[in-house]
Amino acid sequence: MSLFRRIFLLNAAGLTVATALLLGPVTVSTPILPGEALVVVLGLALMLVLNAVVLRIGLAPLQRLGRAMATADLTHPGTRAPVTGPAEVAELITTYNTMLDRLETERATSSARALSAQEGERRRVSQELHDEVGQTLTAVLLQLKRVADRVPGELREEVSQAQEATRGSLDEIRRIARRLRPGVLEELGLHSALRSLAGEFTTHGLSVTHHLDADLPPLSDEAELVVYRVAQEGLTNTARHAGADRAELRLRRVRDGVELLVRDNGRGPGRVREGAGITGMRERALLVGAAFSLGPAPERGIDVRLRLTTTGGRPQPRPGATTATTIETATAPDKASDAASDTASEGDR
């Protein structure tokens, strides 16, 4: 029954009862007697209560819709307002849910394009660092090596310091290039890339252990890149903000797909404010229809989880997610340039 009909029938019933009382044998004395006043007051109260109940029931779906609209978050897809209530309200809720479906699809598509452009820019910058800055520093190292063999003894210490500074800069350039473009992911696969990532973040203050199942279902290139980037961002947050000395990187097979876990023993989530890093991880998860969660670890610290549902070896998108746009993956680095750089570094050592 529509909301209009409910309110109309309630008002019609009240007016009909009032008319029947006026035309019937019931009368009101002048002055009004206490018993008659009591009957009139009780009748009025009953009509008001019935009116309030019908309006409350009829408008309750609108209130639920308002709360759903106030708490809607496109980075947490899948939440929909229940379709209940009168015909007009049910139609309004259905239209709102359809609008959310369209917005989530459009957001996922635009995020895919943005992340694709970001990966392409990372690849370009990494290639320029490797080919231009890396080559230049390699040439400088070779020149310093030749100079070191000819300078007087009192200057060799300064030349050696210049060699060490140049070698350190070259190593830093390589590290930045690897983080910008995970060439090992394309060359050796996800397992090797994650092991390399764990080793990269293992420093004097942080120890990263990894547990990677060998019998994982096959993942698409997009899914592997998302897993790698989420693991990279999770370990970056651990190293920078968690104050932890131990971290764990786990990739395991689950019943309906795979799950990535990044866990540390730091301060814990507390009142986490989602910055660009966490938002980026959520955006990447939406790109392949994965479930992303951030919460406290069982004992201490924080858990970052990414769960991908696979069907026939491919990630299964959730409603509202899209994988129409492909993220660009990096090409392999120039092995000849790396070989030249390594030769220069070994010669200086």
Side-chain angles (χ1 to χ4, degrees):
M1 184 182 297
S2 67
L3 183 61
F4 167 78
R5 182 171 294 183
R6 289 186 184 187
I7 297 176
F8 174 78
L9 291 180
L10 178 63
N11 292 334
L15 293 176
T16 301
V17 171
T19 303
L21 291 176
L22 290 176
L23 299 178
V26 180
T27 59
V28 178
S29 304
T30 305
I32 188 171
L33 299 176
E36 295 172 343
L38 179 61
V39 171
V40 172
V41 171
L42 290 177
L44 177 61
L46 180 61
M47 293 298 298
L48 291 177
V49 169
L50 290 176
N51 194 25
V53 169
V54 172
L55 289 177
R56 175 64 66 181
I57 295 175
L59 297 178
L62 285 177
Q63 294 176 340
R64 289 194 294 268
L65 176 61
R67 289 192 295 268
M69 296 174 68
T71 57
D73 187 356
L74 294 181
T75 60
H76 298 75
T79 303
R80 296 292 181 269
V83 182
T84 58
E88 297 95 331
V89 178
E91 184 179 357
L92 176 62
I93 296 175
T94 301
T95 303
Y96 169 73
N97 290 338
T98 303
M99 181 192 68
L100 277 185
D101 292 337
R102 186 177 68 254
L103 289 177
E104 287 180 0
T105 301
E106 292 175 354
R107 180 184 177 89
T109 302
S110 61
S111 297
R113 292 171 180 166
L115 291 175
S116 177
Q118 183 185 77
E119 289 297 332
E121 186 66 14
R122 285 179 178 226
R123 182 174 64 87
R124 185 188 65 80
V125 173
S126 175
Q127 192 69 41
E128 289 183 358
L129 286 175
H130 182 274
D131 293 345
E132 297 181 11
V133 182
Q135 298 279 7
T136 301
L137 290 178
T138 300
V140 170
L141 276 177
L142 294 175
Q143 292 175 357
L144 288 175
K145 178 65 170 63
R146 288 194 295 268
V147 170
D149 297 334
R150 301 175 182 176
V151 297
E154 61 271 13
L155 296 179
R156 287 184 180 177
E157 180 65 25
E158 297 181 8
V159 174
S160 177
Q161 292 178 0
Q163 285 180 299
E164 292 300 323
T166 305
R167 185 183 298 112
S169 299
L170 182 59
D171 291 340
E172 182 67 15
I173 290 295
R174 289 174 176 171
R175 185 187 66 81
I176 294 174
R178 284 195 301 269
R179 295 198 64 186
L180 285 173
R181 184 182 62 182
V184 66
L185 177 64
E186 185 178 78
E187 294 179 0
L188 302 178
L190 184 59
H191 284 78
S192 298
L194 292 179
R195 282 194 292 267
S196 175
L197 189 65
E200 180 182 344
F201 278 91
T202 298
T203 61
H204 297 293
L206 179 64
S207 175
V208 181
T209 59
H210 58 273
H211 307 277
L212 311 174
D213 287 356
D215 59 338
L216 296 176
L219 300 175
S220 66
D221 294 340
E222 295 89 349
E224 288 189 351
L225 183 58
V226 167
V227 169
Y228 180 85
R229 289 301 189 195
V230 170
Q232 184 183 51
E233 185 63 35
L235 289 176
T236 300
N237 289 341
T238 296
R240 292 180 179 177
H241 309 300
D245 58 7
R246 293 193 312 275
E248 177 184 2
L249 178 63
R250 183 183 296 272
L251 184 65
R252 64 190 182 98
R253 186 182 190 126
V254 294
R255 182 176 57 85
D256 55 349
V258 297
E259 182 183 69
L260 171 73
L261 171 65
V262 181
R263 173 178 293 170
D264 62 60
N265 66 339
R267 291 187 292 267
R271 300 177 64 182
V272 176
R273 182 179 63 85
E274 293 198 3
I278 297 178
T279 301
M281 287 190 282
R282 290 194 186 278
E283 296 282 359
R284 291 182 183 276
L286 291 176
L287 195 62
V288 293
F292 175 82
S293 63
L294 183 73
E299 297 180 0
R300 180 188 174 192
I302 193 170
D303 278 0
V304 175
R305 293 182 185 271
L306 180 75
R307 190 182 186 109
L308 293 94
T309 302
T310 56
T311 300
R314 309 292 289 181
Q316 180 67 27
R318 294 176 302 174
T322 179
T323 57
T325 304
T326 302
I327 302 179
E328 287 190 36
T329 55
T331 57
D334 187 348
K335 295 182 179 179
S337 300
D338 279 343
S341 301
D342 291 340
T343 300
S345 299
E346 291 297 330
D348 289 340
R349 290 193 187 97

